[in-house]
């Protein structure tokens, strides 16, 4: 989703708490990954693989100049012949250690095996973040969680993932001579173009 569409989406949701909540969550994600030099693991449930979030984070990592945001997509089923970026199975969670961040996307109730592996990763020192659908076990394992329930009228999980990934790429480290990155300038311009005109008295 490009900067203009994200700005429009934020404007539509301006009366809700979602723009602030997704920016806050993205800030936690960024601050747990960037200072460590990377180590972002992304996993979903067996029924829901967060392909789109992975792709958006890869784009944001490139556009923002923060390669640390590039995730490793951890999959429940890896088939022989899968390319390397799609060949990381759940066993990778067993190797998660301090300094790594595990982002769990679980719109429904996750499997017991996944919960056990996330628990083990947390015990080993990994930071656990969650975009969840309200499951108390996922919420309990996460250091930071953002819940999107089926009853939320304003947004769905896909929309929240767009907002989180876009916000994660914002406010990157300053570039030379104190100038803003092109991405930040485009985002600011989009915000200005989509804001309502001032009232005339």
């Amino acid at each position: 989703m490009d900067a203009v569409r994200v700005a429009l989406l934020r404007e539509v949701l301006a009366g809700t708490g979602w723009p602030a909540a997704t920016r806050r969550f993205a800030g936690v994600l960024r601050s747990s990954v960037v200072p460590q030099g990377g180590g972002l693991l992304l996993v979903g449930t067996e029924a829901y693989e967060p392909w789109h979030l992975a792709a958006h984070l890869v784009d944001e990592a490139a556009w923002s100049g923060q390669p640390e945001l590039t995730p490793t997509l951890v999959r429940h089923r890896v088939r022989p012949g899968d390319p390397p970026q799609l060949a990381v199975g759940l066993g990778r969670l067993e190797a998660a250690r301090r300094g790594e961040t595990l982002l769990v996307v679980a719109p429904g109730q996750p499997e017991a095996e996944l919960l056990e592996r996330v628990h083990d990763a947390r015990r080993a020192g990994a930071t656990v973040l969650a975009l969840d659908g309200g499951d108390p076990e996922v919420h309990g394992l996460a250091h930071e969680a953002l819940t999107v329930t089926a009853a939320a009228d304003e947004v769905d999980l896909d929309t929240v993932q767009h907002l989180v990934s876009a916000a994660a790429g914002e406010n990157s480290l300053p570039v030379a001579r104190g100038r803003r990155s092109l991405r930040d300038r485009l985002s600011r311009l989009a915000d200005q173009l989509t804001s309502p005109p001032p009232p005339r008295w």
Side-chain angles (χ1 to χ4, degrees), residues 65-157:
Q66 296 181 102
E68 302 87 356
L69 290 172
T70 302
T72 297
L73 180 62
V74 178
R75 304 180 63 207
H76 288 256
R77 288 180 298 279
V78 176
R79 295 182 295 268
D82 281 343
Q85 70 272 20
L86 299 178
V88 180
L90 285 178
R92 175 62 179 87
L93 300 184
E94 294 175 6
R97 294 291 177 261
R98 184 172 305 282
E100 292 187 299
T101 300
L102 173 57
L103 175 53
V104 181
V105 182
Q109 184 175 9
E111 305 76 26
E113 180 187 8
L114 176 61
L115 290 171
E116 288 172 14
R117 291 177 186 252
V118 171
H119 181 261
D120 290 343
R122 179 177 169 133
R123 259 194 346 203
T127 299
V128 177
L129 307 178
L131 290 172
D132 65 79
D135 183 82
E137 291 189 80
V138 174
H139 214 75
L141 286 172
H143 293 94
E144 187 75 30
L146 184 57
T147 299
V148 186
T149 64
D153 293 331
E154 304 97 349
V155 296
D156 57 14
L157 185 62

Side-chain angles (χ1 to χ4, degrees), residues 33 52 59 76 113 139 170:
V33 173
H52 284 102
D59 289 343
H76 288 256
E113 180 187 8
H139 214 75
E170 292 173 344

